[in-house]
């Protein structure tokens, strides 16, 4: 499992760097459309164990999480957007279709 970071969406806030429990994400400088800018990249991709902390923390939906073939995802990706009360997960399926799951954050630990 791994993630993919969209350099065009990333604003270099470093939230993902701070939350990754494996210290796998770093910032580097690239040439943007006008100026140089800092963006995040995953340095040790193979060590990612898919905790999704970075995906949930990113304020710009710049991080996609790959749903590998081993769990039926066949390369589909997920992003998450946080509103005040909900986490809205968007699944971009391998066939081009999308669907969303909205989870009330206050209810997410109930079962
Ligand atoms: S999914 Fe978890 S382990 Fe993988 S890069 Fe993101 S925070 Fe780190
Ligand atoms: S949390 Fe998102 S916007 Fe912030 S540095 Fe990481 S990828 Fe970029």
């Amino acid at each position: 499992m791994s993630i993919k970071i969209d350099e065009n969406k990333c604003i270099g806030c470093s939230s993902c760097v701070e939350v990754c429990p494996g210290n796998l994400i770093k910032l580097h400088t690239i040439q943007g459309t006008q100026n140089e800018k800092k963006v995040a990249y995953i340095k040790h991709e193979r060590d990612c164990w898919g905790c999704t902390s970075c995906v949930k923390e990113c304020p710009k939906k710049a991080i996609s999480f790959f749903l590998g073939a081993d769990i039926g995802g066949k390369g589909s990706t997920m992003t998450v957007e946080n509103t005040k009360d909900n986490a809205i997960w968007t699944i971009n399926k391998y066939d081009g279709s999308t669907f969303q799951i909205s989870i009330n954050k206050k209810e997410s630990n109930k079962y």
Side-chain angles (χ1 to χ4, degrees):
M1 291 182 196
S2 186
I3 57 155
K4 182 178 177 188
I5 299 173
D6 185 336
E7 290 184 342
N8 295 318
K9 292 182 181 172
C10 176
I11 57 169
C13 69
S14 83
S15 294
C16 55
V17 177
E18 288 162 20
V19 297
C20 178
N23 199 24
L24 308 177
I25 306 175
K26 309 288 180 193
L27 291 181
H28 67 167
T29 304
I30 63 164
Q31 185 63 45
T33 48
Q34 294 179 338
N35 301 309
E36 288 187 338
K37 66 172 196 170
K38 286 200 182 262
V39 295
Y41 71 102
I42 181 160
K43 187 170 183 186
H44 306 290
E45 203 168 324
R46 293 173 66 179
D47 292 340
C48 171
W49 61 89
C51 71
T52 72
S53 296
C54 59
V55 183
K56 289 184 275 193
E57 201 64 28
C58 179
K60 292 293 179 184
K61 288 173 70 177
I63 306 179
S64 301
F65 179 73
F66 281 103
L67 300 171
D70 52 335
I71 56 169
K74 298 180 183 175
S76 303
T77 58
M78 290 194 309
T79 55
V80 65
E81 181 178 8
N82 284 292
T83 64
K84 182 170 170 280
D85 297 321
N86 296 306
I88 302 165
W89 290 87
T90 301
I91 291 116
N92 302 296
K93 295 189 70 181
Y94 62 93
D95 62 3
S97 62
T98 64
F99 68 92
Q100 291 189 319
I101 303 167
S102 182
I103 297 170
N104 185 312
K105 293 187 218 174
K106 291 181 185 143
E107 305 281 326
S108 60
N109 286 332
K110 289 186 181 174
Y111 55 89

